[in-house]
Amino acid sequence: MIYLHKILPFLFSPLVITLLLVVYGVFRNKKRYSVAGLILLYASSTFVVADFLFEKLEGKGLKADAKDAPRADAIVVLSGMMSPVQGAAGPVTEWSDADRFFAGIDLYQAGKAPRLIFTGGVLPWEKTSQSEGAVLKAHAQRFGIPEASISVSGDAQNTAQEAVAVRAMLTDSKILLVTSAFHMLRAKQQFERQGFEVSAFPVDFKVRANAFTPMDLMPDPRALGLTDVVVREWIGRLYYQLSAWMRPSGD
């Protein structure tokens, strides 16, 4: 199921749809399809489009300061900020985006909860000897967080499994949930489904604060990557909505 969950967004990515339209147009001698594909690729590769779409995911929320967050029983930091790479002695992990980690550290040091929980994110195709949560725990200890205050959930392959894994280890109900702003709506729903009272602490905002410039109309692979993330998140939200509709609450 996890493979299907990851493959479906890929099939609907702007790059794949563009390729299908262009190939169809060439082989069927229908230029309008090829042109439509190229227009889609251009639009998806501009920051004008990427920022507009991402703002719909992130909403109008602003990056908050840890000192302004409410108190909770635990701080829960979701996985998804590290990637496995090949090291001299075998596979190791490197940061891809550390915002979630540092937000969890800031919240703990601000006294917002006595417990810091990292989810045990792990994917079957990744060559790692331990979950992302275990790696993050070690990093948190280097920042002076007592080991007794840090927990790592059981292994999880997606957001729904993360929520279930945290519920299995935490009987308290109030949590501060830390994840990327575009991912927060879906994550919050999954943790509330497990009976948690969730206070959202979104980070990793993608919508830029820059004023518009003509460069925003130029194709940029970074913008295409953001548009692809939008498509993946839309599909993820639809998947979980359908799952909730098909299963009664609490299953």
Side-chain angles (χ1 to χ4, degrees):
M1 181 59 72
I2 186 62
Y3 287 94
L4 179 63
H5 193 191
K6 299 297 181 181
I7 291 174
L8 276 178
F10 168 76
L11 295 177
F12 288 94
S13 69
L15 199 57
V16 171
I17 293 177
T18 294
L19 180 61
L20 292 175
L21 286 171
V22 170
V23 170
Y24 180 81
V26 170
F27 279 92
R28 300 290 299 218
N29 196 28
K30 296 182 178 181
K31 293 183 179 180
R32 63 180 181 273
Y33 287 97
S34 296
V35 171
L38 294 176
I39 292 174
L40 172 65
L41 180 61
Y42 163 73
S44 301
S45 302
T46 64
F47 275 108
V48 168
V49 172
D51 284 347
F52 172 78
L53 294 177
F54 238 98
E55 188 175 4
K56 301 303 179 182
L57 289 183
E58 295 182 347
K60 299 294 184 179
L62 302 175
K63 185 173 176 60
D65 194 296
K67 64 179 176 60
D68 298 324
R71 289 189 58 81
D73 299 313
I75 301 158
V76 178
V77 180
L78 300 192
S79 297
M81 65 195 97
M82 306 193 84
S83 301
V85 298
Q86 189 64 40
V92 296
T93 53
E94 283 193 342
W95 296 104
S96 54
D97 197 325
D99 288 331
R100 301 182 190 186
F101 172 77
F102 285 111
I105 297 296
D106 288 344
L107 289 167
Y108 180 87
Q109 292 179 336
K112 297 303 177 178
R115 191 174 183 184
L116 179 59
I117 298 175
F118 295 109
T119 58
V122 61
L123 294 173
W125 53 82
E126 291 182 346
K127 297 180 179 180
T128 55
S129 59
Q130 54 186 343
S131 71
E132 182 173 314
V135 176
L136 295 175
K137 177 181 178 179
H139 281 297
Q141 289 179 255
R142 296 190 188 103
F143 278 84
I145 309 299
E147 182 179 7
S149 299
I150 310 172
S151 300
V152 178
S153 79
D155 291 352
Q157 297 178 346
N158 56 36
T159 309
Q161 291 182 12
E162 287 180 305
V164 172
V166 172
R167 170 49 74 197
M169 64 184 296
L170 186 64
T171 57
D172 298 318
S173 61
K174 294 182 65 174
I175 64 170
L176 270 167
L177 184 63
V178 181
T179 189
S180 300
F182 70 86
H183 179 242
M184 182 57 77
L185 176 64
R186 179 158 57 106
K188 188 172 183 288
Q189 289 173 343
Q190 293 306 305
F191 277 82
E192 288 176 340
R193 186 175 178 82
Q194 294 300 318
F196 287 109
E197 181 182 338
V198 179
S199 293
F201 194 84
V203 295
D204 186 26
F205 287 84
K206 301 298 186 184
V207 177
R208 304 167 306 152
N210 301 345
F212 170 81
T213 72
M215 293 301 297
D216 292 337
L217 295 172
M218 298 295 293
D220 191 308
R222 296 171 298 171
L224 180 61
L226 292 177
T227 304
D228 185 66
V229 171
V230 171
V231 174
R232 290 173 180 272
E233 183 61 22
W234 281 344
I235 293 174
R237 292 182 182 184
L238 177 61
Y239 172 83
Y240 283 129
Q241 286 176 351
L242 291 175
S243 296
W245 177 71
M246 294 174 65
R247 295 195 306 266
S249 179
D251 284 6

